[in-house]
Amino acid sequence: MLVDGLPADQIPLTDRGLLYGDGLFETFAVLDGRPLLWQRHMARLQAGERAMGFPSSDKALLRREACQVCEGIGRGVLKIVLTRGSGGRGYRPSSQSQPRRIITLHPWPDYPQAWYTQGISLRLCDTRFSRQSRLAGIKHLNRLEQVLARAEWDDASIAEGLMCDEEGYLVSGTQSNLFMLQGDKLITPDLSQSGIAGVVRGLVLEQAENFALKPRIAMLRVNDLKNANALFVTNSVMGLCPVARFEAQRYDFKKIPPELLTLVEKSNNTET
C-alpha cells in the first residue's frame, strides 16, 4: 500500500475523503503485474477530476506507483483512490488542500466458474439511485446507495442486484453495468443522471458493431427486460458475465455472440 508514494497503512483523520467522501477511485484487474485497461480508467479518472474540481493528477506518476505495487503479482485487484486531501471542519474545500493518492492491492475474487458457463441470477433492489447529473458517470467515493442495496440480500445464489433511479428507470447493478440484447440491438441504460460509466461498458459499446450488433443507450424500465433475448453485466474485474435469470424471468445467454463473451479477455491482452 502506498500513500502519496510512500509505504503506509494510515491516513490523517482530517482527510476529506474519509470525512465527506470527497474523492474518486478506480479499480483495476491486475494480470502478470500489469493493471489492465489503464488508459480507459485514466480517462474516467480525468473526467471525475474535472467534475469535482480537482487538479489534474500526474498520470505517469500514478502508473509508476501502480506498477510498483503490482510488481510480481500474477492476478489481483488494484485500487487507486484520490482524495481532496486534508482540510478543516466544514464542507467548503480549502484552496490550500493537496490531493492525496492511495494505492492498494487486493486478492483476486473467487468468482465461481459457473457464472460464466451457466450464467448468474439477478434480483431487483429496493434501494434507488438519486439523480445528480454533475456526478453521473464518474466513480466518486460516495457509494452508500450501492452499500445499502447490496445489504438487501444474503443469498449466495444471487450474484448481483439491479438498481433503478428515483423515477423508476434502470441504472445498473450494484457493482456492474447492465446490457440487454433485443434482436440485433445491444441496449444499455442511460447514465446521464446517475450511476457509473464502467470502462468495460465503454469497451462493449465501442466494439458492438464488430459483432453485428447495433449499440444503443436508452431510458429503460424493469418491464423492458421482459422483451430481452439475453442479458449480461460487466465490470473491470468481473469482465463480462451472462445472466441466466432475473427474478422469475429466464434468459438464454447462448444468444450472446461467443466472441463478445471473450471481448474483455482479448482486450486485456491488447489495450494498455
Side-chain angles (χ1 to χ4, degrees), residues 57-235:
S57 56
D58 184 336
K59 305 304 185 294
L61 174 62
L62 285 177
R63 182 150 197 169
R64 288 196 298 272
E65 293 179 351
C67 290
Q68 177 183 340
V69 169
C70 295
E71 187 176 2
I73 299 299
R75 203 169 195 191
V77 178
L78 178 77
K79 187 170 183 178
I80 294 178
V81 176
L82 295 181
T83 78
R84 203 180 296 269
S86 293
R89 195 190 71 81
Y91 293 137
R92 182 180 181 182
S94 169
S95 61
Q96 304 303 313
S97 295
Q98 294 296 316
R100 176 169 287 117
R101 58 191 189 277
I102 304 165
I103 303 180
T104 56
L105 185 68
H106 308 269
W108 185 257
D110 187 20
Y111 294 136
Q113 187 59 32
W115 283 13
Y116 303 94
T117 59
Q118 300 174 28
I120 63 173
S121 294
L122 308 179
R123 74 185 297 274
L124 183 64
C125 297
D126 294 325
T127 305
R128 297 196 173 194
F129 279 109
S130 58
R131 293 165 68 87
Q132 170 53 266
S133 59
R134 181 167 177 177
L135 298 177
I138 67 174
K139 206 161 186 180
H140 57 80
L141 290 178
N142 279 288
R143 304 264 61 102
L144 277 177
E145 292 159 334
Q146 287 101 315
V147 170
L148 294 174
R150 186 57 188 87
E152 290 181 20
W153 82 95
D154 193 24
D155 181 349
S157 69
I158 298 175
E160 176 65 305
L162 296 185
M163 298 177 65
C164 296
D165 67 14
E166 54 202 9
E167 295 188 7
Y169 290 105
L170 280 165
V171 177
S172 67
T174 64
Q175 62 173 341
S176 62
N177 289 118
L178 173 69
F179 286 87
M180 62 178 276
L181 276 171
Q182 194 175 62
D184 64 351
K185 298 182 180 67
L186 180 63
I187 309 170
T188 192
D190 181 275
L191 301 181
S192 61
Q193 299 298 316
S194 356
I196 297 173
V199 297
V200 176
R201 174 182 181 266
L203 173 65
V204 171
L205 287 172
E206 288 175 18
Q207 297 295 319
E209 293 183 353
N210 293 333
F211 307 104
L213 297 173
K214 298 175 182 177
R216 180 184 167 200
I217 295 172
M219 303 290 285
L220 296 174
R221 294 191 182 272
V222 173
N223 281 342
D224 292 323
L225 301 185
K226 294 179 180 178
N227 301 317
N229 302 123
L231 299 180
F232 62 87
V233 296
T234 62
N235 75 24

Side-chain angles (χ1 to χ4, degrees), residues 261-272:
L261 290 171
T262 59
L263 171 64
V264 178
E265 180 181 350
K266 291 178 180 177
S267 296
N268 286 337
N269 292 326
T270 58
E271 293 202 12
T272 58

